[in-house]
Amino acid sequence: MVGIDEVARHAGVSTATVSRALSGNGHVSPATRLKVEASADELGYVVSSTASSLASGRMKNIGVVVPFLDRWFFSSVVEGAQKSLLKNGYDLTLYSLTDGGAERRSVFDHFLLRQRVDAVIAISLELTATEVTSLHALGKPLVGVGGPIEGVRTLMIDDVAVARLATEHLLALGHTRIAHIGGNKDLDLDFHLPTNRRVGYENALSTAGIEPAAELFMTADFTMRGGYQAAKQLLGNPHDRPTAIFAASDEMAIGAILAARDLGLVVPRDVSVIGVDDHELADFFGLSTIAQFPQGQGAKAVEILLDQLSPGKHLTPNLNTPMPFELIVRSSTAAPGD
């Protein structure tokens, strides 16, 4: 096994310089860093994770906590975080809380509080004051993705504004009877995303002088199947059928497109459909949507954490960082009857 002292001799620098260059901790000039990396590659030197953690007090591992693994948004945020962590020499440990309360308590009371991770990213989880205090007491930086958490750096999109933009797009096309497929009560626990998107939808209608109609609102579970079932109920009514549907996620919007086709309706001639996310299948279905760039959210979360872990902290003082979103118009929306 090649040792750090051999790399130092080969590169003509001290072992301390080799350690700083390969760990990324401490100042090393770019030229010296390249020379050390070249020597390490040539000699086949691999940094010992155990030795590195003993020297730095860190495991070079970030814990990521998500409510689901089988949803595109969450997996995309994780993918963005993982790519950024790999570039910076960090591992990722993923904790899925699909089973709810007992599993969540176990993760926050035991796994994350052990010296296994250097920092934590919580995706779409509204952490309790106790969970935040426990992590901060051990000096573990924490970043939330999805909504505000008191005392924690968070990344979030304005869900009310997102829904308002989607609805305004349909209104601008001339639609006045616009249905909304939102999330059910089980999905309204953390950051109240379904409620906020319904508020944005209703605000846009009210601003346009249209009274939101209770019969044009259906709930689903943010899946294609759920969107399909909800849209069948909305579009199956032969009287006063909506001419447009705003779904709170792309997966539900895609389900609505499939339901319309099964009912013999043409999208967008008979019904326009718009969603939120810019899911990987959105372009395939010609789905108009509000893109929220989840991989970028994961990468930004890592950027903030690594900044907190660096010796000299230079974070901006703002706790809540707004993330961008953008209207993407495709073929699923058009003027009524077009």
Side-chain angles (χ1 to χ4, degrees):
M1 293 285 292
V2 176
I4 191 172
D5 53 341
E6 294 174 77
V7 177
R9 284 195 298 271
H10 188 276
V13 298
S14 68
T15 55
T17 299
V18 173
S19 178
R20 290 196 302 271
L22 296 181
S23 69
N25 296 320
H27 175 72
V28 177
S29 70
T32 300
R33 189 183 304 277
L34 288 173
K35 182 166 63 173
V36 170
E37 290 174 347
S39 294
D41 287 342
E42 185 174 336
L43 297 174
Y45 174 72
V46 178
V47 178
S48 166
S49 60
T50 302
S52 178
S53 64
L54 288 172
S56 65
R58 294 190 189 142
M59 297 301 296
K60 303 287 283 186
N61 185 29
I62 303 297
V64 178
V65 188
V66 295
F68 303 101
L69 281 176
D70 59 346
R71 305 288 172 84
W72 175 84
F73 173 79
F74 303 115
S75 62
S76 296
V77 176
V78 170
E79 183 178 355
Q82 184 176 39
K83 287 179 180 178
S84 184
L85 287 170
L86 287 174
K87 289 179 183 177
N88 288 280
Y90 277 76
D91 292 321
L92 179 152
T93 299
L94 185 62
Y95 299 92
S96 173
L97 305 183
T98 307
D99 292 336
E103 191 174 51
R104 176 168 177 157
R105 285 192 296 273
S106 178
V107 168
F108 280 95
D109 292 348
H110 302 291
F111 292 98
L112 292 178
L113 297 183
R114 296 173 185 170
Q115 299 301 318
R116 291 184 175 185
V117 298
D118 299 319
V120 176
I121 299 173
I123 301 172
S124 295
L125 291 170
E126 193 169 354
L127 303 184
T128 67
T130 300
E131 291 167 344
V132 171
T133 300
S134 297
L135 291 169
H136 282 171
L138 291 177
K140 295 185 188 294
L142 173 63
V143 172
V145 177
I149 303 172
E150 187 170 354
V152 176
R153 281 297 305 273
T154 55
L155 310 176
M156 54 187 290
I157 64 167
D158 186 337
D159 286 302
V160 173
V162 163
R164 189 165 54 240
L165 178 59
T167 309
E168 287 171 346
H169 169 65
L170 297 173
L171 289 166
L173 290 171
H175 295 278
T176 57
R177 191 161 176 80
I178 302 170
H180 176 47
I181 301 175
N184 56 35
K185 291 182 179 179
D186 292 339
L187 298 170
D188 202 29
L189 300 177
D190 292 289
F191 305 124
H192 305 292
L193 181 150
T195 294
N196 289 335
R197 292 189 180 170
R198 184 178 182 180
V199 167
Y201 154 78
E202 292 182 345
N203 284 351
L205 292 180
S206 297
T207 300
I210 300 170
E211 183 70 24
E215 69 271 16
L216 292 181
F217 173 70
M218 295 288 293
T219 61
D221 58 359
F222 278 70
T223 66
M224 290 185 195
R225 180 184 295 275
Y228 178 91
Q229 293 169 344
K232 267 213 163 178
Q233 295 303 308
L234 289 166
L235 298 175
N237 182 356
H239 308 292
D240 262 351
R241 187 174 62 215
T243 64
I245 294 175
F246 160 50
S249 77
D250 279 356
E251 291 191 39
M252 293 196 294
I254 290 169
I257 289 175
L258 296 175
R261 292 177 180 175
D262 282 357
L263 289 169
L265 303 175
V266 176
V267 176
R269 185 194 68 195
D270 299 316
V271 60
S272 286
V273 179
I274 189 169
V276 178
D277 280 333
D278 202 22
H279 189 284
E280 60 185 356
L281 293 176
D283 187 52
F284 178 79
F285 280 90
L287 178 64
S288 294
T289 187
I290 309 296
Q292 61 168 321
F293 314 109
Q295 287 200 30
Q297 294 182 34
K300 183 65 175 178
V302 169
E303 178 187 326
I304 292 172
L305 281 185
L306 295 184
D307 199 15
Q308 291 184 354
L309 288 168
S310 66
K313 295 180 180 178
H314 41 81
L315 289 170
T316 59
N318 297 327
L319 282 178
N320 299 323
T321 301
M323 298 301 288
F325 55 89
E326 179 184 350
L327 171 64
I328 307 293
V329 179
R330 297 192 176 98
S331 59
S332 69
T333 52
D338 284 1

